[in-house]
Amino acid sequence: MSRGPLLLRQVQIFNGEKLIQKPTDVRIEKGVIAAIGTDLTVPRRRDYRWNGADSGAGFLDLRACAREPGDEHEEDLISLSDAANAGGFTAVVVNPDTTPGNDDHAVTELILRRAREYGHCDVLPQGALSHRLKGETLAPMGEMSEAGAVCFGDGDRPMKSARLLRRALEYARGFDRPIFTHAIDADLAGTGAIHEGAWSTRLGMRAIRQRRNM
Amino acid sequence: MQTDALPQPPQDLPLKHLLGLEQLSAEQILSILDLSTHMKAVNARRIKKLPTLRGVTVLTFFVENSTRTRMSFELAAKRLSADTMSFTASSSSLAKGETLIDTARNLEAMSPDIIIIRHSCAGAPGLLARTVNCGIVNAGDGSHEHPTQGLLDIFTLREKLGDLKGKKVAIIGDIAHSRVARSNIFGLQKLGADVHVAGPATMLPHAIEELGCTAWNRVEPAMEGADAVMMLRIQRERQGNDTIPSSHEYYRFFGLDEKRLKLAKTGALVMHPGPMNRGVEIAPEVADGNQSVILQQVENGVAVRMAVLY
């Protein structure tokens, strides 16, 4: 994205645990932090004075719906990565529930190729856990891992089968990939739209029963 | 008939039953293998017959499908001059609802000397051994043991590699459902071999390391420097199809092709208990290649089974 060095002057750095109050300069070269210190210099046009703004590693969104391929009228990788950038997210895990679903290495490769072409942020595909995201048989996680899938899950679809989830957890171990699950029991949740509690009762909305209420 | 070269069964043989290799000592295994060498020589003769079991009745009782094991046992019995009868599940009283024990007692009433049983339930041969008085030979019980397959595999390995002490043997595939794997794990370790098992974690049973072997969920570390590689069949009939995504992906990551075989020692042996799924667990060029001893395993099966019945 960026060509030539860039200087963020007088920022407060968030180091992942806490904000370091003392204003500091950060010089970025070829997209990588090259120096952190005081009184750093770069050519004038690339010198940004922030006066106490916060700076830190980019955020990672673990769950985003890219809708590309297939439903680009809702969202595509350009709009997704622009939105991510605007919010300080530099990497986004995209759900596999696209059309077709990302349950095959060819789809994984397509997503990554498109994301590279746009190049606005790191797009990390979540591969489908099950074939066609139906929750019945395992998807080819090995081939998708090789293609660049970073984790596996069926996106927003809850696992119907505990047995398949167990198999997926075992199988993914061989490829050193985590499993993401949508932690909800579809049967119990039904068409609920809100956690069950005083507010669901007050608003008269269909509620999703939670374990602690049972 | 040439019987002069044959030895008497050693002190620790004959065993009354052969239920598994887990119960055998290294000495007992070696005694059976030594005897198998003599039996193999008999099988190389023009007249392949010994009078040893004349008047002895051997019954093959197969409650699960089998082609080569049943034929191999029947041939072994016939070469030792035994009278053989066979009994299969589909044509039997078991299909009419009789219990296994009742069937076995009825068979025993016909005075067989040895019953060779294959059953889909682990422990069925052991149950029979406790129920009837004749000798029981396990020809495969569920996912538990297949001792004669283990013995013939070990026999084949010793023929090619000599003493197995310190030799690395990789067993690859569906370990969870494989009785061949269990018999080999027990038998090979008794003879000092270093046994490694590998497969997707969905096919590795819980706590397999407690049997003494090393387990991997990728093929490569198991293959590295191995003296022999034993590929197991993907047994679709024994499991739901939820352990692997597809045969294609299985072959890609766990199948034995020429490239993967290069990780093993030069000239490492390639084994398979059959029946093979070409292009699923093994590439045709490896199965038919010059490192393959798959057909020798079948040949040795008859000799080993003769030794077991002897």
Side-chain angles (χ1 to χ4, degrees):
Chain A
M1 190 172 27
S2 154
R3 322 2 106 187
L6 179 76
L7 188 64
L8 307 179
R9 192 178 290 283
Q10 301 281 295
V11 292
Q12 299 189 109
I13 295 173
F14 179 67
N15 68 2
E17 286 175 11
K18 60 175 194 230
L19 204 58
I20 298 164
Q21 301 286 341
K22 184 168 165 261
T24 315
D25 297 348
V26 178
R27 188 169 64 220
I28 297 162
E29 289 172 18
K30 293 180 182 159
V32 177
I33 295 172
I36 297 175
T38 46
D39 300 325
L40 301 181
T41 54
V42 289
R44 191 167 179 74
R45 272 190 312 125
R46 309 282 293 167
D47 184 341
Y48 295 89
R49 180 171 294 273
W50 290 94
N51 290 331
D54 300 340
S55 167
F59 295 130
L60 163 67
D61 186 346
L62 287 172
R63 183 198 157 279
C65 299
R67 302 285 178 240
E68 183 174 352
D71 296 303
E72 289 86 348
H73 56 286
E74 293 179 6
E75 173 92 281
D76 62 17
L77 289 166
I78 301 178
S79 63
L80 175 114
S81 52
D82 282 348
N85 273 191
F89 288 82
T90 53
V92 178
V93 176
V94 291
N95 274 3
D97 35 7
T98 46
T99 312
N102 182 14
D103 68 343
D104 186 274
H105 69 99
V107 180
T108 311
E109 282 161 12
L110 173 75
I111 292 169
L112 286 170
R113 201 186 68 222
R114 295 264 175 96
R116 266 195 308 275
E117 284 165 9
Y118 307 144
H120 292 191
C121 71
D122 292 336
V123 170
L124 310 170
Q126 176 186 136
L129 181 156
S130 67
H131 179 64
R132 299 272 182 271
L133 291 88
K134 283 183 178 169
E136 290 164 2
T137 54
L138 294 178
M141 298 187 209
E143 288 189 311
M144 285 191 281
S145 296
E146 278 197 341
V150 297
C151 59
F152 293 98
D154 280 347
D156 286 349
R157 302 184 194 185
M159 292 299 300
K160 287 185 287 193
S161 158
R163 180 190 167 92
L164 187 72
L165 178 58
R166 177 215 156 142
R167 292 301 190 205
L169 287 161
E170 289 171 336
Y171 192 76
R173 206 189 295 157
F175 303 98
D176 201 20
R177 294 288 188 278
I179 296 289
F180 285 17
T181 60
H182 193 61
I184 210 168
D185 183 314
D187 196 33
L188 213 49
T191 53
I194 183 172
H195 287 310
E196 187 174 63
W199 279 104
S200 63
T201 301
R202 184 186 298 266
L203 298 172
M205 290 179 78
R206 280 180 201 256
I208 298 172
R209 180 163 273 250
Q210 289 173 279
R211 196 182 178 82
R212 66 170 180 269
N213 297 346
M214 291 189 199
Chain B
M1 232 174 270
Q2 308 162 45
T3 56
D4 46 328
L6 283 169
Q8 286 301 306
Q11 286 292 304
D12 45 3
L13 294 177
L15 303 155
K16 181 162 165 65
H17 307 297
L18 177 64
L19 302 179
L21 297 192
E22 189 178 11
Q23 299 89 352
L24 298 193
S25 66
E27 292 69 34
Q28 286 172 319
I29 292 174
L30 290 173
S31 297
I32 296 171
L33 300 182
D34 287 344
L35 203 50
S36 306
T37 311
H38 294 287
M39 296 302 165
K40 192 168 177 179
V42 170
N43 287 336
R45 293 178 191 166
R46 194 173 64 81
I47 296 169
K48 308 170 181 64
K49 197 143 182 127
L50 294 177
T52 321
L53 298 188
R54 192 183 291 159
V56 169
T57 307
V58 174
L59 178 69
T60 58
F61 179 26
F62 276 57
V63 191
E64 199 184 59
N65 288 339
S66 161
T67 311
R68 85 195 65 202
T69 306
R70 189 162 58 81
M71 286 180 69
S72 180
F73 266 115
E74 283 179 8
L75 190 59
K78 287 189 164 107
R79 286 191 177 165
L80 294 172
S81 305
D83 296 317
T84 61
M85 295 191 293
S86 70
F87 182 102
T88 52
S90 55
S91 63
S92 73
S93 47
L94 281 172
K96 298 173 190 158
E98 193 172 51
T99 68
L100 180 66
I101 291 178
D102 284 339
T103 306
R105 284 191 179 133
N106 277 280
L107 294 173
E108 192 192 17
M110 297 175 210
S111 309
D113 298 279
I114 300 169
I115 296 179
I116 299 165
I117 178 177
R118 167 169 289 190
H119 200 284
S120 57
C121 290
L127 179 67
L128 241 58
R130 291 193 297 277
T131 309
V132 299
N133 282 318
C134 56
I136 301 293
V137 176
N138 179 4
D141 60 331
S143 303
H144 177 223
E145 280 228 41
H146 191 350
T148 55
Q149 179 73 43
L151 288 168
L152 74 89
D153 289 339
I154 297 170
F155 181 80
T156 309
L157 282 164
R158 277 170 52 89
E159 254 188 344
K160 304 284 176 190
L161 304 174
D163 187 4
L164 297 184
K165 195 161 268 169
K167 296 285 193 304
K168 180 173 177 179
V169 180
I171 306 176
I172 291 163
D174 189 357
I175 311 294
H177 296 90
S178 175
R179 51 193 173 213
V180 177
R182 281 172 185 73
S183 286
N184 271 295
I185 290 169
F186 293 131
L188 285 167
Q189 291 188 126
K190 287 190 182 188
L191 301 187
D194 178 21
V195 180
H196 291 244
V197 298
T202 46
M203 291 180 167
L204 295 177
H206 186 66
I208 184 75
E209 297 93 340
E210 289 194 14
L211 304 187
C213 52
T214 311
W216 305 95
N217 47 33
R218 292 304 292 263
V219 173
E220 290 75 11
M223 292 280 307
E224 230 157 74
D227 296 277
V229 187
M230 207 176 278
M231 301 307 293
L232 301 175
R233 188 164 67 92
I234 296 307
Q235 304 194 32
R236 292 248 169 188
E237 77 274 17
R238 266 183 231 286
Q239 56 190 19
N241 54 0
D242 63 356
T243 50
I244 50 169
S246 64
S247 302
H248 168 76
E249 168 142 324
Y250 184 85
Y251 180 67
R252 180 99 163 62
F253 293 98
F254 300 97
L256 183 62
D257 56 17
E258 284 179 323
K259 191 169 156 232
R260 231 167 240 148
L261 183 57
K262 288 206 172 80
L263 294 169
K265 268 196 189 137
T266 314
L269 305 179
V270 173
M271 307 176 81
H272 195 300
M276 274 187 283
N277 296 309
R278 287 166 183 265
V280 179
E281 66 261 2
I282 191 163
E285 57 273 24
V286 174
D288 302 329
N290 53 16
Q291 286 169 252
S292 166
V293 291
I294 295 169
L295 291 176
Q296 275 126 291
Q297 287 172 268
V298 179
E299 183 194 345
N300 290 337
V302 179
V304 166
R305 288 176 179 119
M306 283 169 78
V308 167
L309 298 175
Y310 189 69

